[in-house]
Amino acid sequence: MRGRLTRALIEHGYDGRVHPVTRSQSEVFGLRAYPTVAALPEPVDLAVILVPAAHVVETLEQCGGRGVRAAVVISSGFAEESNEAARARDLELGRIADRHGIVVCGPNSEGIVNPLRPLVATFSPVFHDPTQRLLPATAKGRPIAVSCQSGALTFSFLSRGRAKQLRFTHQVSAGNQTVLEAHDYVDWWLDAGDADIFLLYLEGIRRPDRFRAVATKAAEAGKPLIVAKVGRSVAGRRAAASHTGALAQAGDIDDAIFRHHGIIRGDDLDHMLDVAAAFSFCRLPRGNRVAVITGSGGSAVWMADILSAHGLELPVLEEDIQKRILALLPSYASAQNPVDGTAQAIHEVGYARLVEIVRESKQIDVILLIGSLANEATAGKRAEELASIVDATHQPIVLSTYTTASPGAMARFAEAGIPCYTSMPSCARAIRALVDYSAFQTRLHCRQAAPATSPGLRDEVGRALAAAGPVLAEAEAKVVLARYGVPRPPEALVRSADDAVAAAAHIGGPVALKVQSPDITHKTEAGAVALGLVGDTAVRDSYQRVLASAGKAHPDAAVHGVLVQSMAPPGCEIILGITRDPTFGPMLMIGLGGIHVEVLRDVAFAPVPIERDEALALIGELRGAALLDGVREAPPADRAALAELMGALSRFAADHADLIEEIDLNPVIVHAQGQGLTVVDALIVKRKT
């Protein structure tokens, strides 16, 4: 490996000086070798360390003493192993790096590549041929940088992306991330300005606040992050006391963080490259409306179905646009959308003249060409015709080929600024990513900070929470939540049957009785709830019954009393809550209640705090969100009141993140528009100290 790495450095034309350090040789590939770091003839900028794991710490210490301030540690045998010696080496490596101020890539890294130098410091087989270009001949595409926790995957992007003429300016195998995490490189690249698109493969995030800060920085710069985050399974998730905690899965939380920051989730290598190609060559579209121009009617129909399945629209073109198109096409062609020019007409007219007409449509945001890239000469001619109009066309232009694509044909279209796709679904996913990122950027520029809590209120509620027990049952939870604007229905906590009767009479109408105990988090299952009670006798009898049932189910439970509560008017049932993710901290969850949560898991998450517009957008993420619009003559639900409640709950969770583990508001009944909502039940579980 040392020989392959050194050869790669030399043969790929590194423009600086290379000093091999080895005790076994006096010369390596014609370069003078030195027995120790201390013997080097001059200060060096980068140390690439590939020695047995037991000697890495000593070697890095020598580098620090010699003034080296950057190192790539290729050697494995650190935190990726489960033995104590490996973990100790990892800790010591971090301490040395901190003491000497050394930035370290790795350990367990496959190296780094920077074609702009050029610097190829890796033993990856991707770089076995030094005659192969590190950068494409065309400079049309926006530059891309790669940072991966997996060594092999790091350089696979370049290997698989060459045919697409993608311009990879930096590639880093982050390894174990003992010092630098994958996103730290993104932060540097954003400052350096050498890349506009970032591909990351992550297995874990050690410093989530830092990750989110870098993601925010990239979003504000309009530079997309395309991230593969593995570990979405529910295996290993802890048991949760609340419904909210039980419903939270690792993938859901990652998706919520990604959505908040506009991060595109990478499904696989090809998907990430397809999306990167779209961002590399295309400007952002204004919306999701696609025009298809093709010479293959069958491909057009098939693609139209695939585009629609990805939530993309194919509107009918304006009549004057259609007339101008048909003037160029035979009578049996179609100009509505898709524009099926037929193979003969495309051969004679070409794509460029049709694009010039379609781009004038006010209905179209993206132009998709469908054709064949099997014939390089013909494809080159079409690409040349399009090259003169791409920059003047405000809609992004992409091409999907229904035949195999010759590398030369794809290169010619790349030179014209048009990405090519050999898979219809991949093309649709790439367009969808452009549309979603454009919409995110619009929301980002309109996003306002969530209202801040006054320090006095925050401190007062914090003291009340700190003084409370590990679980706050409904009555106690609602008292502290009310300070943040969470509404309470008419209710009273009582400790005798006579007080229950008096409270029910004062409230009026049907009431519910609920035993209050921090030890009974699921009251219904314990028989500790009675609903729809009317009259003194019903209230008195139910009071005794719910207490008896609670005592039978939980004989050791500490009972604080019984809550008498007005029955809520009908409405749409929602579950709202807070769960604490081990990585990202408090997360707001919303879901449609009843069967939608218990069976369908129709839920959505967001990091706290959120403001009103973000809350409304989160409601829209629910698959059954249309139920809030009213069905079967039911009136629309009060989304504004729900968004306000979500904002209040999220501020509460953000302000007291160090104390809160889980919160359940379940159910929340959302009434007709303008009539607010009812928080029927509440539970707060504190963090264990």
Side-chain angles (χ1 to χ4, degrees), residues 269-611:
L269 278 168
D270 291 328
H271 172 243
M272 293 177 73
L273 285 168
D274 287 334
V275 172
F279 282 108
S280 184
F281 292 105
C282 298
R283 54 174 54 91
L284 294 181
R286 298 175 299 185
N288 71 336
R289 303 167 299 178
V290 182
V292 176
I293 302 175
T294 180
S296 166
S299 297
V301 175
W302 204 346
M303 179 61 88
D305 286 347
I306 293 171
L307 292 170
S308 297
H310 283 79
L312 300 166
E313 300 178 17
L314 282 79
V316 175
L317 297 172
E318 299 92 329
E319 288 189 13
D320 64 311
I321 298 288
Q322 292 188 48
K323 289 178 181 178
R324 292 168 60 191
I325 293 171
L326 290 172
L328 300 174
L329 304 179
S331 59
Y332 49 86
S334 171
Q336 289 188 330
N337 190 21
V339 175
D340 180 9
T342 73
Q344 179 180 346
I346 293 295
H347 179 74
E348 295 175 356
V349 176
Y351 290 108
R353 293 176 66 186
L354 296 175
V355 170
E356 286 181 304
I357 298 172
V358 171
R359 72 183 181 182
E360 295 182 26
S361 171
K362 305 299 182 185
Q363 306 267 60
I364 299 303
D365 305 307
V366 180
I367 297 175
L368 167 58
L369 312 177
I370 301 179
S372 169
L373 296 185
N375 186 317
E376 186 173 329
T378 301
K381 179 183 177 182
R382 299 293 173 231
E384 185 178 352
E385 293 169 351
L386 286 160
S388 61
I389 67 171
V390 169
D391 290 340
T393 302
H394 68 265
Q395 298 100 330
I397 303 173
V398 301
L399 184 141
S400 175
T401 176
Y402 48 80
T403 64
T404 55
S406 74
M410 295 184 73
R412 294 296 299 276
F413 272 92
E415 291 169 8
I418 299 174
C420 299
Y421 297 91
T422 56
S423 158
M424 290 183 179
S426 293
C427 182
R429 290 194 299 178
I431 295 173
R432 181 77 250 178
L434 285 174
V435 169
D436 288 344
Y437 192 74
S438 179
F440 163 76
Q441 283 291 323
T442 299
R443 294 194 304 272
L444 179 65
H445 290 120
C446 297
R447 185 182 290 173
Q448 298 181 12
T453 309
S454 69
L457 175 59
R458 185 179 62 246
D459 293 345
E460 180 185 338
V461 172
R463 287 191 295 271
L465 279 171
V471 176
L472 283 73
E474 179 181 356
E476 191 178 7
K478 284 181 175 179
V479 170
V480 292
L481 290 169
R483 300 303 309 276
Y484 275 71
V486 174
R488 298 177 64 185
E491 58 189 21
L493 182 65
V494 300
R495 291 176 175 81
S496 70
D498 289 340
D499 288 345
V501 169
H506 177 74
I507 292 170
V511 297
L513 299 186
K514 296 183 278 186
V515 172
Q516 298 296 292
S517 171
D519 303 315
I520 306 176
T521 55
H522 301 295
K523 297 185 288 292
T524 301
E525 290 84 341
V529 176
L531 303 175
L533 306 174
V534 178
D536 295 357
T537 301
V539 170
R540 188 180 300 277
D541 292 346
S542 296
Y543 180 90
Q544 302 296 346
R545 178 169 52 80
V546 295
L547 281 176
S549 297
K552 183 178 180 181
H554 297 274
D556 298 326
V559 175
H560 295 172
V562 174
L563 189 67
V564 183
Q565 184 183 95
S566 174
M567 291 293 295
C572 188
E573 188 173 320
I574 294 289
I575 177 173
L576 199 61
I578 299 293
T579 184
R580 186 176 192 86
D581 181 71
T583 300
F584 292 108
M587 303 289 296
L588 176 75
M589 189 212 77
I590 181 173
L592 287 171
I595 189 174
H596 299 281
V597 160
E598 301 298 337
V599 178
L600 303 180
R601 288 197 72 260
D602 189 6
V603 294
F605 292 83
V608 301
I610 63 174
E611 43 82 35

Side-chain angles (χ1 to χ4, degrees), residues 568 570 668:
V668 174

